[in-house]
Amino acid sequence: MARRALKLASLATAAAATTGFYLYGNKHLDPNDFGVVRVGRAFATTAIITFDYLTSLRSVSRGTEEYESVKSQINELFISFEDAPLGAASLAQVHKAVLHDGRTVAVKVQHPKVQTQSSKDILLMEVLVSAVKQIFPDFEFMWLVEESKKNLPLELDFLNEGRNAEKVAHMLRKFDFLKIPKIYWELSTKRVLFMEFMEGGQVNDKAYMERNCINVNEISHNLGKMYSEMIFVNGFVHCDPHPGNVLVKKCPSTGKTHIILLDHGLYQVLSENVRLDYCRLWQALIKSDMKRVQKYSRRLGAGDLYPLFACMLTARSWESVNRGIDRLPVTKQEDVEIRTNAAMYLPQITKLLNSVPRQILLLLKTNDLLRGIESALQTRASASSFLNMSRCCIRAVSTHQRSKSDSLYRKAQISISEALSLWQINLYELFLRLKGSQLGNWVIAFLSWMHHSS
């Protein structure tokens, strides 16, 4: 017993250590950078903006004529520049500034030494993960290294982030509640990004929403709509929806509530096959069609671990998946059960993560972040989120089927079937709204009385 406990503790420690190294590899925290930030933060941060003056500034002494010369060149760009960052992360920090033409902008500035340090971090992570693999063969974490190698160069290129922002803004232009900052290309570089300044409360700040009369159910509903559209219909997914990157604000003039989506450095592009299999898997999960759950989980690489895969995607117990995730509310007891099982099945989880397509890994992260927001707003697993997903899945599969058919008759059949399915969902949604209203209660009571009277 003691030996088993020791082994379990060792495995947990190894997993935690490896995860820590992964976070380290992604965060790029270099102790030397703290000195740079603290000593002359105002100038060291802003200097990079004007054609990489950071290098010049760090090489001269403060108070000298040369230092003042660099400083004056920085001031030529801005009327004002707030030294205290609006937000700071491992790769960059964001400052509010006003340009000489009057535009208020958000300036995202990459931290010094990130570019050079990142390759060292990944190499160190690769060595450490390989060492853990030698000691604990059951743990497969090389995918962490592979994903970091692929994603980090993209995140370090702020011009790529700007292109992503414009692409998703065009892609989701039909959602008038969604706001994405405009990119000012004439001022931006690979290490500095100038954007339209937007502000609001964090999406998980329920107190802020109550103070500003913002409907949390509307926010949760709209957040689900836009992410379902990204994942199931377009296959181009913003993969970092943590609360600092998703803001909400009520427009004073119109009274409409906007969702502001920031930080577009990390996107996942889904291949058509993965996107469609993922659509069909979620359709099966919502309908509790366990044969199709098994089929599409296996097609996505889960193999015999398909029950575990279904639980990870939904963050629900296997019993809830079987009985219907749209019908059973999440309970505290179920949450405790899931956390307990996560520790118990850690080797199987690592095996599964190593088996599924790499595109799925960032979707799992995205799902978890969105679930965290729903939990904070207390709207988790609401019926509306599943209805939104169902609509997008139906549209995505129907569009694919029409594109593969040469027959006008068959295309008409697919369109009619799609329209009927969407109509059924709309009808069910109307029923749920009536059920929750006073009028709905009267109608249900009247129908019940009629039934008993007959």
Side-chain angles (χ1 to χ4, degrees), residues 239 241-243 278 311-316 338 353 361-375 380:
C239 288
H242 70 71
Y278 195 67
C311 293
M312 288 173 65
L313 283 176
T314 58
R316 302 296 301 272
I338 290 168
L353 293 176
L361 297 176
L362 283 178
L363 288 185
L364 288 169
K365 172 195 172 185
T366 304
N367 285 347
D368 285 342
L369 289 169
L370 291 173
R371 250 180 236 114
I373 292 170
E374 289 180 342
S375 294
R380 185 176 168 193

Side-chain angles (χ1 to χ4, degrees), residues 270-379:
L270 304 180
S271 67
E272 186 175 64
N273 288 339
V274 167
R275 179 174 61 86
L276 291 170
D277 284 342
Y278 195 67
C279 280
R280 291 174 175 126
L281 174 56
W282 267 105
Q283 285 180 306
L285 286 166
I286 293 169
K287 294 178 181 178
S288 301
D289 185 343
M290 303 318 295
K291 287 185 178 179
R292 285 168 62 85
V293 167
Q294 180 177 351
K295 175 183 176 181
Y296 290 108
S297 294
R298 288 182 180 277
R299 285 180 61 160
L300 287 170
D304 293 336
L305 295 173
Y306 70 90
L308 178 61
F309 187 48
C311 293
M312 288 173 65
L313 283 176
T314 58
R316 302 296 301 272
S317 67
W318 182 238
E319 180 185 358
S320 296
V321 171
N322 275 276
R323 293 175 60 188
I325 56 175
D326 62 332
R327 292 186 288 274
L328 294 178
V330 182
T331 63
K332 289 184 178 179
Q333 182 180 354
E334 185 179 4
D335 275 339
V336 171
E337 179 187 343
I338 290 168
R339 285 195 296 270
T340 304
N341 287 340
M344 188 183 304
Y345 292 106
L346 200 54
Q348 289 89 342
I349 290 172
T350 57
K351 180 180 178 182
L352 179 61
L353 293 176
N354 197 51
S355 302
V356 297
R358 295 290 168 263
Q359 300 163 54
I360 297 296
L361 297 176
L362 283 178
L363 288 185
L364 288 169
K365 172 195 172 185
T366 304
N367 285 347
D368 285 342
L369 289 169
L370 291 173
R371 250 180 236 114
I373 292 170
E374 289 180 342
S375 294
L377 300 180
Q378 297 178 341
T379 59

